[in-house]
Amino acid sequence: MPVGGVAPVVAGPGRLISGFADERSGQIAFYGLFLGSVDSGLTVDDVLRDNTDGVVRGNLLEFKLSIPDLNVVVSQCVKYLSAERLKGRPVPANIILIDLIAEVAYVYGSKRYMELVERVYSGAASKNNDGFVAGPFRERLDYGSSDLDRQRLIDVMRTNDYERIHLDANCIVGWGREYYRLNPAARKDAFLGDEGEIRNPDTFRDYIYPYEGPTNVEFQYLMDKLNDDLSKKNLGAFYTPKCYADKSLELLREAIKRVPEGNDYVIIDRCAGTGNLEKGMTDEELSHCVLSTIEFYEYKVLVELLGARTRAIIPPVASRSVFVAGGNVRGANAMSRSYLENEVVMRYVRDPKCTIIMYENPPFSEATSVDHQSKGKSGTATWRNDYVVKEMKKAISGTDISIQAAQDLGNSFIWSAFHYYLRQPTDSYVVYSPVKYWKAQNLISKRFIDGYGFNRRWFHTNIDACIMVALWSNEDSDMDGFTINGYDYDERNDCLKPAVPLEVKRLHSRVTDYYDKRPIPEADRRGVLAGLNGYETTSRKPSGKPAKGEDLLGYMAVYGAGFDNPELHSSLLTAGRYDGHGFYLHRDNYLEKLPLFCASRFISYNRGWTERGLIMKSADGKDQFERDVRSGKLDQWLLKCLLFTCLERQNHMVTFTGSDGEEYRNELTLDTTNGPTIAATDIARLQTGPDEAALLLQWDQLLEAAKATREYDPAITYGVYQIGTEIDTSRKDPITGKTIYNNVPVHSAMKALKPLLRDYYNTEIAPVLRKYEYIK
Ligand SMILES: C[S@@+](CC[C@H](N)C(=O)[O-])C[C@H]1O[C@@H](n2cnc3c(N)ncnc32)[C@H](O)[C@@H]1O
């Protein structure tokens, strides 16, 4: 690039394509000229993907302003092709390099490079390409100067040929995903079975070679990722990585030490998957294991890998007759009645001279999870009708166990372990699960002996969250808290990172205890209702009567101990929420309700794995909090909460005119354009230090920028959220696909507010929330 950073505009007489400033615009001009002749249905958007310069039918295209060394560019293309294979995409048979300035295309066949394509590369494709020998090209086409060559280039680009690839553990997940995308109704059998796609390709017959492995053992660590959508819901299979499984063996060994002298013992894992928890066991330990898993292909791997070394696998041999519809194993559903009657397990449970140790990572499947609901179309989870799940529901109703606990398949495993299997005080359960079953749901009240916290990300999820593996003794206990060591995983060095202490404290109250429960006078039972987006909704079925009155300034709903789905469980609206779940804010005490909203935002500003899944909301400090509010000790802090609330985007209070003709005004904003709001009046009492001043200044800039836009309506009292939805709007660039903001100064002011607010929250708000156990 010349001095000053301005790229040359490639132009000149006699050129086919001129007037482009850089590689990107040259490439777009090239496609503009050629694509229509290749395939009139193709757009630039269709061909550009995944950092390649484009795939046109069976051709990978790579553009350069000029190509001084063909070897380097072909090497780069080989890496792109390798990435295509890993993603389950067909590998184009041709590579076409385009030298934009010389207007020359070089065509290579991919076949020659397939051995290299089937390797895995890390880092950018454009790096480390020296030393590669591309060999001779197949054709060189002067598309700039020769009509004949132009036509030839079009003919090449019209070809739709691919090189077939071999399946292995590196790429099987990509091809599995692609297979289920193209065959949404397909089950795992159709992909992985003896007659399935991988051994007998049909959808991919032109793209892959049949897989010839006699079993699926090669994919043992990936079987969870190869589930179809329905199985994902039902199986909740998230496998334990080796380093975590090895660490939890320490707990298992503590449990074995508790076996009384002279006793036999069995280690039961009812949901063993492909046996990840057991792989690090000694032969002696394995010889005590009774294992099973519901899913047929996991079961086959389990038998293959561990069958001969365990005490029993249920059922003992992998004959074809054990396969039942839906891909399950006959008799292996641990939630079924027949499993509870299975003598292979139950004879040990009945034997008083045998100690029972259960060692499990139960399926993680919550009926209420976002994932569960969003994938509704592919069928619903069937486990909710299982015998044990229903028995648990009956047993916990009317007890202090949260009924919510029955919405989680993992909880049914935990409950049933204590209910049906563990009998003696020296029996133990080593179990993986997020802590809420003990912390918030009172599912068990047993003696905690030892445990660790692990990052859920490494269990084939993308979520940073804490999973606890705990060793429980089968003895009742009312312990109130304990500390565990938390270990993240160091991927590069394949080891655990140094331990961090994590406190696990039990909750004794619900955050909804803070709700204002004063009855609303009948005269105020009028008005409209709002959706989660803050605006009036009439299309949703309301669950209660709306309210509007002089004394009422908005509606707050903050519920649930955990932080799953925080957008649903945290609402602050101008009108009542259509589905209720909250309470109306009154002018006289709204300030002391704001910490509730602040608490509900905790996870948005603290996304570390040591917080999510471990930290929860409670009203355990309510008495102390209310005493301190009454004494005036918290006056200034409540105003800080007010400042935070006014500037936080999840505050969905908006100003609008309802279908009843009344104005619903956002009173929790600092926009005084149309006269003071309640918040603006109260915030005047806040003693502002530099942090508050910076926030207020940023708010002023945001409002000012909003006022300068076409979309601004002077009759509206805006909050941050309403500026976000109505003014900080964006569109997609049709060519590049990039987001273009319609009002850049507004967007910039909005972006600048976010880190300021996060820091303010974490220094000024969160510590006090913790002190009063809003966050615990
Ligand atoms: C979280 S994975 C754990 C697998 C393995 N133990 C590990 O740690 O990697 C849960 C396993 O439970 C199995 N599973 C799900 N529902 C089951 C049921 N009702 N009965 C038995 N196994 C079940 C799934 O197929 C899956 O392999």
Side-chain angles (χ1 to χ4, degrees), residues 235-240 270-273 276-277 294 298 332-334 361-363:
L235 299 176
F238 298 99
Y239 287 179
T240 312
R270 297 167 290 170
C271 46
N276 291 332
L277 294 185
I294 195 173
E298 289 180 343
N333 179 0
N361 176 3

Side-chain angles (χ1 to χ4, degrees), residues 96-127:
I96 307 178
L97 313 186
I98 307 281
D99 184 323
L100 286 164
I101 291 179
E103 304 205 297
V104 171
Y106 301 90
V107 183
Y108 291 81
S110 311
K111 197 180 193 75
R112 178 173 354 154
Y113 312 113
M114 285 313 287
E115 200 230 305
L116 298 170
V117 168
E118 296 201 309
R119 293 187 192 168
V120 177
Y121 300 91
S122 57
S126 55
K127 302 253 164 71

Side-chain angles (χ1 to χ4, degrees), residues 673-695:
T673 315
N674 297 299
T677 59
I678 293 173
T681 306
D682 284 340
I683 213 91
R685 288 187 277 118
L686 175 64
Q687 293 154 11
T688 49
D691 295 344
E692 285 85 9
L695 279 171

Side-chain angles (χ1 to χ4, degrees), residues 171-202:
C171 70
I172 187 87
V173 173
W175 287 93
R177 268 198 210 120
E178 201 53 17
Y179 181 75
Y180 296 126
R181 189 178 70 77
L182 297 170
N183 303 283
R187 303 301 309 275
K188 199 170 182 177
D189 192 33
F191 185 64
L192 278 186
D194 291 346
E195 299 300 316
E197 181 70 22
I198 65 168
R199 293 190 167 77
N200 210 350
D202 178 27

